[in-house]
């Protein structure tokens, strides 16, 4: 899932300083699962913002809504009539959702309420870790199901580098060395000899480096566009 | 001969080689580089010039290489994968060759987190093994893209690093093998402060016949203090310092003299070890000690090749 | 709004039905009085409390508390520990908008402690009275 974290409260309050009535918009997708921007977080942040502004003697009306997903245009139809009446929308969705809100309501100010962190997994309650960098050309077949692009601090393809010790990365004792994990897993699978092969220079054009990406599947597109 | 550098000729002639290291300054004061070069001149075949070592901005390794050439010392420029993509790296290789630089050492590079610009973006377009492949391709006349180069290919003697003290231990020899497969001609190891581990690594290297495919120069660092030794042991990732070394320094009356003596004994020992082609002396911020170590280890004067 | 002597804080006390709520009943049986502006809300376990409940309550009152079973005595094993961590989370949220953390608290007691119930409620009442009205109150 996409993992996000609420922005610092002062930053959010700064965004909203000139507004009297906003919509605080949650998303039922990834940010609900990672406890950053679902219905409950909307409720909590809504209270916090209202209290912070009440304390300043400048009340803020917070319309609290959470929709199925903010990354699909269809779900905005249900709130369109309410959006008319607010000064701005504070979106708690990931960067994708925030941009979709802005696109769906071109005349409305849209503020980001979260920092989108990474694509990751929930390891424990309150603990998430990065797993994928959406590089566009998966190499997990060669690396025992452990991604060196996202999980090696240097994204190298022929690790571990000389900074790997006791299974940890030179960057931090809290960070597992991805290549040590790959080595251990391939050893367990009886495939460690495959690490003798030099993985070739990566074609980064499939990643962000090739420019903004777009996927079109001719087999799925409809004439009407909808 | 691939590049005909002094270092290459010495190793190919089968002499026990000696290389040194110079860390360019955090300023544009090129005299610092030349001062260190002059201090060690005649005692080493070539001198490594670090590339923004520990991710701290320093005078560029290629520019420092040119300063060394002007001082009639042979440079061995390091290139890390952290700061440049394949376009910039290949451009730099051509530039270095145009200046007369013949030895290039490929490294991953320390992560920028601990340098003086921890908020920077890192590159790692290619990794160190892929960089070796790229250098090997260039000296054969091809850019990484496969496009053929115009005119004579650059002459490069390709170096790499090996760290017998990092983990997983069994993989460390495989990694060296991959570097040899990629086209590396010589390797310099992380500084050797645990002889027992190094010997175990060398046994595996010899078992695979790797010492016949790639020249191995063992890293030597004379220790100046017990504190430094303990710091390396405890806080530097991929370093090991054995207890006997620390105990020897602790017992010594003159720690610096003991550090030098230890380095000399290590070199004497390594001279007899099968598969070790030379030593790489890293006496950063203690360059003036290199001549004494080389002399007392019986490696001076350097053979003519 | 005044912080004068006539200030009577409004407090919500969420009560675990196995301890706080029964202790309140015990207090009633003993005919012990406590400040009238304390509203009790029954929960099946202190672990049912949520940051959201605390925050919504804080929009209209001056202090909130959760009355939980004594340590190691939760019928659902860890409900009271969870409640404690939610109190801490709520305190952190209040602190970041400049509202006193002491307006949220957790207290532990057993079902038969009528006197203790009154003491806890009175102490909280006195503390909040001292703090004065909740500066972030939205619904007055």
């Amino acid at each position: 899932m996409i993992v996000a974290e609420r922005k610092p409260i002062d930053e959010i309050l700064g965004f909203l300083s000139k507004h009297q009535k906003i919509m605080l918009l949650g998303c039922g997708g990834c940010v609900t699962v990672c406890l950053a921007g679902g219905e409950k977080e909307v409720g909590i942040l809504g209270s916090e913002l209202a209290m912070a502004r009440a304390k300043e003697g400048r009340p803020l009306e917070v319309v609290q809504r959470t929709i199925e997903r903010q990354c699909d245009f269809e779900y905005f139809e249900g709130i369109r009539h309410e959006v008319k009446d607010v000064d701005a929308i504070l979106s708690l969705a990931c960067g994708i959702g925030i941009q979709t809100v802005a696109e769906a309501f071109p005349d409305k100010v849209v503020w980001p309420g979260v920092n989108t962190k990474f694509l990751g997994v929930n390891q424990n309650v309150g603990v998430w870790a990065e797993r994928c960098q959406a590089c566009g050309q998966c190499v997990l077949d060669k690396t025992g199901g452990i991604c060196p692009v996202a999980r090696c601090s240097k994204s190298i393809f022929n690790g571990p580098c000389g900074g790997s010790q006791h299974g940890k990365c030179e960057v931090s004792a809290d960070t597992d060395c991805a290549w040590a994990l790959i080595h251990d897993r391939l050893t367990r699978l009886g495939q460690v000899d495959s690490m003798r092969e030099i993985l070739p220079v990566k074609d980064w054009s499939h990643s962000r480096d090739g420019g903004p990406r777009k996927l079109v599947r001719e087999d799925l597109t409809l004439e009407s566009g909808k | 001969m691939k590049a005909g550098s002094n270092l290459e000729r010495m190793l190919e002639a089968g002499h026990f080689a000696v290389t040194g290291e110079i860390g360019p300054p955090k300023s544009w004061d090129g005299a610092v580089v030349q001062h260190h070069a002059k201090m060690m001149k005649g005692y080493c075949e070539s001198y490594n010039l670090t590339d923004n070592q520990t991710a701290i901005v320093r005078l560029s390794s290629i520019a420092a290489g040119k300063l060394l050439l002007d001082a009639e010392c042979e440079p061995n420029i390091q290139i890390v994968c952290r700061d440049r993509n394949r376009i910039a790296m290949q451009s730099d290789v051509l530039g270095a060759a145009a200046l007369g630089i013949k030895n290039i050492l490929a490294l991953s590079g320390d992560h920028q987190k601990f340098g003086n610009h921890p908020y920077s973006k890192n590159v790692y377009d290619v990794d160190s093994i892929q960089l070796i492949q790229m250098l090997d391709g260039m000296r054969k006349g091809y850019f990484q893209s496969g496009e053929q180069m115009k005119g004579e290919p650059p002459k490069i003697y390709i170096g790499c690093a090996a760290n017998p003290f990092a983990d997983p231990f069994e993989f460390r020899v495989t990694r060296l093998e991959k570097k040899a497969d990629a086209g590396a001609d010589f390797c310099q190891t992380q500084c050797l402060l645990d002889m027992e581990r190094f010997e175990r690594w060398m046994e595996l290297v010899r078992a695979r016949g790797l010492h016949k495919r790639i020249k191995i120069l063992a890293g030597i660092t004379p220790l100046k203090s017990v504190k430094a030794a303990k710091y390396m042991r405890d806080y530097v990732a991929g370093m090991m310092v054995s207890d006997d070394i620390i105990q020897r320094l602790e017992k010594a009356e003159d720690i610096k003299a003991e550090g030098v003596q230890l380095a000399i004994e290590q070199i004497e020992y390594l001279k007899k070890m099968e598969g070790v082609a030379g030593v790489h002396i890293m006496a950063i911020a203690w360059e003036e000690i290199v001549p004494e170590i080389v002399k007392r280890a019986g490696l001076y004067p350097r053979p003519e090749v | 709004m005044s912080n004068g002597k006539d200030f009577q804080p409004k407090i919500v006390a969420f009560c675990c039905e196995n301890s706080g709520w029964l202790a309140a009943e015990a207090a009633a049986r003993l005919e012990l009085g406590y400040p009238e502006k304390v509203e009790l809300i029954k929960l099946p376990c202190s672990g049912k409390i949520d940051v959201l409940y605390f925050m919504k309550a804080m929009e209209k009152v001056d202090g909130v508390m959760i009355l939980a079973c004594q340590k190691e005595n939760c019928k659902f094993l860890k409900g009271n520990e969870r409640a404690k961590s939610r109190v801490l989370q709520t305190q952190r949220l209040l602190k970041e908008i400049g509202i006193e953390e002491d307006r949220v608290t957790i207290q532990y007691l057993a079902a038969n402690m009528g006197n203790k119930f009154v003491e806890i409620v009175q102490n909280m009442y006195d503390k909040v009275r001292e703090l004065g009205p909740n500066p972030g109150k939205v619904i007055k």
Side-chain angles (χ1 to χ4, degrees):
Chain A
M1 81 182 121
I2 297 172
V3 180
E5 186 182 31
R6 200 207 71 192
K7 276 181 173 285
I9 196 76
D10 290 339
E11 192 179 346
I12 297 176
L13 285 167
F15 296 153
L16 308 180
S17 63
K18 295 205 170 70
H19 304 314
Q20 272 92 52
K21 183 177 181 183
I22 62 149
M23 177 180 281
L24 177 53
L25 189 59
C27 173
C30 306
V31 290
T32 292
V33 185
C34 73
L35 311 176
E39 196 172 358
K40 188 194 272 190
E41 291 73 34
V42 164
I44 293 169
L45 181 61
S47 288
E48 218 185 333
L49 293 173
M51 279 195 260
R53 286 285 293 266
K55 189 167 154 275
E56 290 175 24
R58 297 188 306 124
L60 177 72
E61 193 181 333
V62 185
V63 179
Q64 303 178 13
R65 293 289 177 272
T66 299
I67 59 173
E68 187 73 20
R69 276 199 301 279
Q70 289 189 29
C71 54
D72 268 312
F73 287 99
E74 61 189 281
Y75 299 111
F76 295 113
E77 293 315 312
I79 57 165
R80 195 168 285 281
H81 62 291
E82 291 176 297
V83 167
K84 275 197 304 216
D85 302 329
V86 299
D87 304 339
I89 300 170
L90 173 64
S91 167
L92 292 189
C94 69
I96 303 161
I98 297 165
Q99 293 182 64
T100 315
V101 178
E103 202 172 329
F105 303 106
D107 303 318
K108 202 55 76 178
V109 176
V110 177
W111 298 107
V114 302
N115 288 322
T116 303
K117 310 291 273 189
F118 50 77
L119 307 182
V121 66
N122 188 198
Q123 289 184 313
N124 213 325
V125 181
V127 182
W128 294 268
E130 184 164 17
R131 285 293 180 268
C132 176
Q133 211 165 288
C135 74
Q137 210 175 35
C138 194
V139 295
L140 287 169
D141 57 314
K142 295 190 172 61
T143 57
I146 292 159
C147 179
V149 179
R151 297 173 71 179
C152 165
S153 298
K154 300 175 183 173
S155 297
I156 64 173
F157 287 89
N158 294 282
C161 76
S164 173
Q165 209 164 27
H166 311 305
K168 298 294 175 185
C169 172
E170 70 180 29
V171 166
S172 157
D174 299 331
T175 306
D176 288 329
C177 167
W179 277 101
L181 295 175
I182 293 168
H183 180 268
D184 292 351
R185 182 159 160 82
L186 291 177
T187 302
R188 180 178 295 177
L189 297 176
Q191 296 171 8
V192 76
D193 275 354
S194 70
M195 280 179 77
R196 287 187 175 209
E197 180 200 340
I198 297 176
L199 294 188
V201 173
K202 187 171 175 67
D203 175 355
W204 291 107
S205 70
H206 300 281
S207 189
R208 239 293 306 170
D209 308 88
R213 291 169 277 180
K214 190 171 181 175
L215 176 66
V216 179
R217 278 187 53 189
E218 304 281 355
D219 57 328
L220 296 176
T221 53
L222 299 175
E223 275 170 38
S224 68
K226 297 210 170 176
Chain B
M1 283 291 152
K2 283 165 174 152
S5 72
N6 201 10
L7 176 62
E8 182 181 7
R9 281 183 281 123
M10 196 66 81
L11 286 166
E12 288 305 317
H15 296 302
F16 194 80
V18 183
T19 55
E21 185 156 315
I22 296 170
K26 287 165 74 177
S27 72
W28 63 286
D29 187 0
V32 175
V33 177
Q34 287 181 321
H35 171 71
H36 287 143
K38 277 174 193 152
M39 213 178 255
M40 293 189 272
K41 190 172 174 179
Y43 290 92
C44 304
E45 274 64 79
S46 73
Y47 304 87
N48 285 37
L49 291 156
T50 54
D51 180 9
N52 298 299
Q53 192 180 16
T54 62
I56 287 170
V57 177
R58 292 167 187 280
L59 192 150
S60 99
S61 61
I62 294 171
K66 170 66 174 143
L67 293 168
L68 244 66
L69 287 171
D70 291 347
E72 294 173 327
C73 289
E74 182 172 288
N76 175 18
I77 58 150
Q78 300 190 351
I79 295 185
V80 300
C81 300
R82 179 191 61 230
D83 308 324
R84 278 164 286 183
N85 69 6
R86 65 190 81 173
I87 300 170
M89 281 176 166
Q90 292 180 98
S91 160
D92 279 350
V93 168
L94 295 180
L99 292 172
I101 292 166
K102 291 173 179 164
N103 305 309
I104 299 181
L105 188 104
L107 297 166
S108 304
D110 298 316
H111 194 271
Q112 75 276 12
K113 185 178 178 185
F114 301 110
N116 61 356
H117 291 77
Y119 299 160
S120 62
K121 188 177 195 298
N122 64 27
V123 182
Y124 295 109
D125 178 20
V126 300
D127 65 29
S128 62
I129 292 176
Q130 295 163 345
L131 170 57
I132 295 166
Q133 275 185 325
M134 192 162 83
L135 293 171
D136 189 46
M138 287 181 81
R139 68 182 173 185
K140 289 172 180 154
Y142 294 92
F143 289 113
Q144 189 279 325
S145 61
E147 185 186 323
Q148 200 163 356
M149 222 175 267
K150 280 186 183 151
E152 274 288 299
K155 293 188 164 42
I156 315 167
Y157 193 50
I158 304 172
C160 65
N163 188 355
F165 312 104
D167 293 324
F169 178 68
E170 322 79 65
F171 179 73
R172 289 294 139 192
V173 180
T174 304
R175 188 161 160 85
L176 179 66
E177 185 175 38
K178 286 178 81 164
K179 290 182 175 184
D181 291 345
D185 303 306
F186 70 100
C187 91
Q188 293 169 330
T189 75
Q190 171 67 288
C191 68
L192 192 177
L193 295 167
D194 185 335
M195 189 58 86
E196 190 251 322
R197 170 108 164 188
F198 183 78
E199 287 198 270
R200 277 201 289 140
W201 182 76
M202 278 305 298
E203 270 170 34
L204 296 176
V205 167
R206 287 191 297 267
R208 287 207 205 164
L210 276 176
H211 60 304
K212 292 182 179 141
R213 295 178 53 205
I214 184 166
K215 304 291 183 191
I216 297 165
L217 280 71
I220 298 291
T221 289
L223 292 166
K224 264 178 164 175
S225 72
V226 177
K227 203 176 142 197
K230 285 185 175 167
Y231 182 84
M232 286 196 260
R233 180 190 65 186
D234 299 334
Y235 299 107
V236 181
M239 292 235 357
M240 284 183 170
V241 184
S242 62
D243 292 341
D244 57 318
I245 286 181
I246 287 174
Q247 281 161 12
R248 248 185 87 168
L249 290 177
E250 274 173 341
K251 279 186 202 148
E253 276 180 29
D254 182 343
I255 294 175
K256 281 185 171 184
E258 189 71 5
V260 171
Q261 179 59 32
L262 196 70
I264 291 161
E265 286 172 26
Q266 285 180 325
I267 297 172
E268 292 287 3
Y269 192 76
L270 290 163
K271 273 156 74 176
K272 293 176 215 125
M273 198 182 290
E274 190 194 347
V276 176
V279 285
H280 174 55
I281 306 174
M282 290 167 274
I284 294 292
W286 201 10
E287 286 83 357
E288 65 273 21
I289 201 68
V290 172
E292 183 186 333
I293 294 174
V294 177
K295 269 192 240 166
R296 285 176 53 197
L299 295 168
Y300 189 82
R302 305 297 308 136
E304 292 288 333
V305 284
Chain C
M1 204 186 300
S2 78
N3 193 5
K5 284 191 171 133
D6 54 343
F7 169 56
Q8 289 189 298
K10 273 197 221 165
I11 288 171
V12 168
F14 293 97
C15 302
C16 164
E17 68 177 14
N18 300 301
S19 54
W21 188 262
L22 296 176
E25 287 180 353
R29 278 198 301 278
L30 296 168
E31 296 181 1
L32 303 170
Y34 61 88
E36 60 177 305
K37 287 208 164 182
V38 177
E39 188 184 341
L40 305 185
I41 296 175
K42 183 162 82 169
L43 298 179
C45 170
S46 62
K48 182 72 186 82
I49 193 63
D50 197 287
V51 177
L52 185 62
Y53 299 176
F54 279 141
M55 293 298 280
K56 289 298 166 207
M58 280 301 289
E59 286 192 33
K60 51 185 139 180
V61 301
D62 303 294
V64 292
M65 57 199 300
I66 171 83
L67 299 181
C69 293
Q70 289 178 315
K71 287 170 192 168
E72 320 254 309
N73 219 12
C74 174
K75 188 173 171 185
F76 301 102
L77 307 178
K78 290 190 171 177
N80 47 5
E81 289 175 33
R82 302 273 156 82
K84 167 83 180 173
S85 77
R86 283 158 206 160
V87 166
L88 295 174
Q89 286 173 48
T90 309
Q91 287 180 331
R92 210 171 50 236
L93 294 175
L94 293 179
K95 193 180 171 189
E96 67 180 15
I97 52 170
I99 295 175
E100 303 89 343
E101 302 157 83
D102 287 353
R103 293 184 189 274
V104 189
T105 182
I106 181 165
Q107 297 294 335
Y108 306 95
L109 74 179
N112 59 357
M113 295 180 174
N115 282 302
K116 172 97 176 182
F117 170 83
V118 171
E119 184 192 320
I120 286 170
V121 169
Q122 187 66 50
N123 283 346
M124 182 66 175
Y125 186 85
D126 292 344
K127 189 198 280 169
V128 176
R129 209 172 121 82
E130 208 168 288
L131 288 170
N134 169 15
K137 207 183 280 180
V138 178
I139 302 153
K140 286 164 184 155

